Amino acid sequence: MQQQTESGTTRSKAKFEVVPISSALGAEIRGIDLSRADAAAVKAIRDAWLEHVVLLFRDQDLSDDALADFSRNFGELDLAPPMETSQGATHPEILAVSNVKEGGKAIGTLGDGEAIWHSDMNYMEAPPTGSLLYSLEVPPAGGDTGFCNMYKALDTLPADIRRRIDGLSIKHDSSTNSGGYLRQGSKPVDDVRTCPGAVHPMVCTHPETGRKSLFIGRRRHAYIMGLPLAESEKLLDAIWAHATRKELTWHHRWRVGDVLMWDNRCAMHRRDSFDPATRRLMHRTQIKGGKPS
Ligand code: SIN
């Protein structure tokens, strides 16, 4: 399906180029307009996504409907999750990620602070397969989005930790988002062992590639089921320090019109803070997934 050139770039039958971005993960897809992707292009994009975990498409011009339509090529969409604010994008399947305020009210989620490493909607029984994030306004500096490769995080885990986590599961707190804001209707967590949220195995098998990866959600309010609290904290700290090492990550500097598409089953992501006096507006879709196992 794909031909490789000397530079490692591949050209698919769908006539676009797949250019690897970093040694950790990621590839840029060059030469495609996502609003006109046909079945052959979608198939080639899916293959590249499964191989590279995160894809970057530059210079796109997408309405909310076009973003949702393209995203639907990869599965049914989840509704946007509840935010800390009552406003958001006007499309039910699109989450507005923004610090912009209109009439004194935030039009999106996550503000201008750092968003910590996480998998999207990990607190659900069936977290999304993946997400697409499209940039409408970007600040002149900051607000970069980083990704880490959770296949590699598992493959390189020290053997003693790898043995210890086999068969263990994590409680994934649903109360607080990656920006540290309480979601609407949630109460502050005073004991991580009893916080609301789904329980998932720490080592999961990707249903499409068959590869094993670490699935640890987000560090804040996490708890390894059945362990004494102090032991859970210590083990989680060791795993997180390993999984987010620089060599397993890549950070993207945004331009308006970029689309990033990531595989939520084998990548985590985060976002840098940026100057509150500047504007950042992104629209995100999330592809419905299944129970991690
Ligand atoms: C997200 O966590 O989905 C948003 C990341 C970003 O704002 O770059």
Side-chain angles (χ1 to χ4, degrees), residues 95 97 110 115 118 120 133 143-145 178 254 262 269-271 280 282 284:
L95 177 74
V97 179
L110 294 183
H118 64 284
D120 283 331
L133 191 64
D144 297 2
T145 304
S178 56
W254 289 92
W262 61 86
H269 57 285
R270 65 173 293 281
R271 188 212 51 209
R280 186 177 190 271
M282 309 274 167
R284 194 188 83 187

Side-chain angles (χ1 to χ4, degrees), residues 192-212:
V192 294
R193 290 167 295 191
T194 56
C195 66
V199 173
H200 300 301
M202 292 176 84
V203 178
C204 294
T205 304
H206 193 293
E208 292 182 81
T209 65
R211 292 182 66 188
K212 285 188 188 308

Side-chain angles (χ1 to χ4, degrees), residues 2-148:
Q2 294 184 336
Q3 298 164 339
Q4 181 135 26
T5 67
E6 277 173 20
S7 63
T9 299
T10 52
R11 186 175 286 284
S12 82
K13 278 201 177 140
K15 302 247 179 357
F16 52 71
E17 283 182 319
V18 182
V19 184
I21 286 175
S22 82
S23 57
L25 79 182
E28 181 179 343
I29 306 290
R30 292 191 186 150
I32 184 158
D33 172 352
L34 297 184
S35 65
R36 305 165 76 109
D38 60 14
V42 168
K43 164 83 175 79
I45 290 170
R46 178 182 281 281
D47 290 348
W49 183 50
L50 294 177
E51 181 180 349
H52 295 282
V53 180
V54 182
L55 298 180
L56 165 65
F57 308 87
R58 298 268 197 198
D59 303 319
Q60 302 298 315
D61 183 7
L62 301 173
S63 62
D64 281 353
D65 281 343
L67 175 63
D69 284 349
F70 175 71
S71 305
R72 249 182 242 111
N73 286 310
F74 304 91
E76 209 183 317
L77 301 186
D78 270 319
L79 296 180
M83 308 190 306
E84 68 278 12
T85 59
S86 58
Q87 285 182 263
T90 48
H91 196 293
E93 292 160 325
I94 290 183
L95 177 74
V97 179
S98 186
N99 66 324
V100 175
K101 290 191 173 157
E102 279 171 10
K105 282 194 172 164
I107 64 164
T109 186
L110 294 183
D112 51 54
E114 179 186 353
I116 59 167
W117 286 112
H118 64 284
S119 306
D120 283 331
M121 297 153 76
N122 59 315
Y123 49 85
M124 291 174 45
E125 288 301 325
T129 295
S131 302
L132 288 92
L133 191 64
Y134 172 53
S135 60
L136 295 149
E137 293 185 64
V138 300
D144 297 2
T145 304
F147 294 89
C148 72

